Amino acid sequence: MTCWYEGPLAAFDTETTGVDVETDRIVSAAVVVQDAPGTRPRVTRWLVNPGVAVPEAATAVHGLTDEHLQRNGRWPAPVMHEIAEELAEHAAMHRPLVVMNAPFDLTLLDRELRRHRASALDRWFEASPLLVLDPRVLDKHLDRYRKGRRTLTDLCAHYEVTLEGAHDAGADALASLELVRALGRRFATRLERLTPAELHTLQTTWHAAQARGLQAWFTRSGTPETVSTYWPLRPELPTAA
């Protein structure tokens, strides 16, 4: 039987106006599907006119300007619906979805759906649950004592995965997908007997422990930052009274 990391995988990535999932917006997104290692991936892309100004700092990262997005981007409402439908199709086929730092991209998508469609992301997965594989969580658990940063670029360098055109949603999604395959092979003795569903459940526990460790470090260093333990999707913030 083919191991999950040698079988069909999909991957999702976004580029955004910033790093706050509650207020920032998606400006581009991509879903990459690969049926088996070495086969040609299928890429679906979306370009979004977010309806708000794109900060220069964000443009410096992904290269997408206000002018370009206003001229070529689509309105957010139909795009967010199409992305959610695409992810739901993969869930229905029990195809694992690779998302690097999943709580960021999936929570941001959820907030965009609430903002533009008055609907939560979870609604699309009531029939078939989403099976997420997060290379950041997997790597931090499987090689927890390794020093150094664990960004997508860093992980690709460590696992010898090609990343061409970083900060393009399609390129980052494909690299994340290949990274999960590389992680599976590197740690085959620990992963090959686990199903994607079992791994999804385990990652919720692993991420929570990782978040608590990071929160403790922030507290010791006097950094006023709160780390969420939720994975792969953060709950909606309560509405202020």
Side-chain angles (χ1 to χ4, degrees):
M1 182 179 294
T2 302
C3 293
W4 58 263
Y5 51 82
E6 302 290 2
L9 293 175
F12 173 60
D13 188 72
T14 65
E15 296 300 328
T16 69
T17 60
V19 296
D20 187 332
V21 296
E22 302 299 337
T23 60
D24 280 305
R25 310 297 176 89
I26 293 172
V27 297
S28 70
V31 172
V32 175
V33 182
Q34 189 182 47
D35 295 324
T39 60
R40 185 172 181 174
R42 303 185 296 279
V43 184
T44 303
R45 300 175 182 271
W46 294 269
L47 192 66
V48 185
N49 178 354
V52 299
V54 180
E56 291 183 2
T59 297
V61 173
H62 49 59
L64 298 172
T65 65
D66 275 331
E67 181 182 5
H68 179 75
L69 293 170
Q70 290 170 13
R71 181 181 302 158
N72 302 287
R74 297 169 56 203
W75 289 115
V79 171
M80 301 312 151
H81 180 85
E82 289 172 14
I83 294 172
E85 287 285 310
E86 175 84 9
L87 300 188
E89 287 181 14
H90 296 301
M93 291 185 284
H94 307 290
R95 179 181 289 141
L97 181 72
V98 177
V99 191
M100 174 71 183
N101 192 16
F104 178 79
D105 293 86
L106 294 181
T107 303
L108 194 55
L109 175 60
D110 174 77
R111 302 313 191 252
E112 288 278 57
L113 286 164
R114 293 174 187 270
R115 184 178 296 123
H116 297 290
R117 305 289 303 194
S119 178
L121 180 60
D122 282 343
R123 183 181 76 77
W124 271 267
F125 307 108
E126 292 172 348
S128 299
L130 194 61
L131 303 177
V132 178
L133 299 171
D134 188 334
R136 187 170 182 268
V137 173
L138 292 171
D139 174 71
K140 288 183 74 174
H141 177 77
L142 295 165
D143 198 0
R144 69 182 68 184
Y145 300 114
R146 190 179 79 250
K147 301 292 185 181
R149 289 160 27 104
R150 300 182 193 241
T151 66
L152 178 61
T153 300
D154 296 319
L155 293 183
C156 285
H158 180 73
Y159 289 97
E160 299 181 344
V161 169
T162 300
L163 172 56
E164 296 181 353
H167 300 298
D168 169 84
D172 287 357
L174 178 59
S176 298
L177 187 153
E178 295 289 3
L179 184 56
V180 162
R181 294 199 191 280
L183 274 158
R185 296 180 190 117
R186 178 77 61 91
F187 298 100
T189 56
R190 298 167 65 181
L191 295 176
E192 61 185 357
R193 295 185 181 181
L194 294 170
T195 66
E198 290 170 331
L199 266 177
H200 181 102
T201 300
L202 286 168
Q203 285 171 102
T204 62
T205 302
W206 296 344
H207 176 270
Q210 293 162 8
R212 286 192 294 269
L214 182 57
Q215 186 70 72
W217 186 86
F218 281 148
T219 300
R220 290 194 302 270
S221 63
T223 302
E225 188 167 340
T226 301
V227 184
S228 173
T229 58
Y230 289 97
W231 182 97
L233 179 65
R234 298 175 190 170
E236 186 183 19
L237 292 175
T239 303

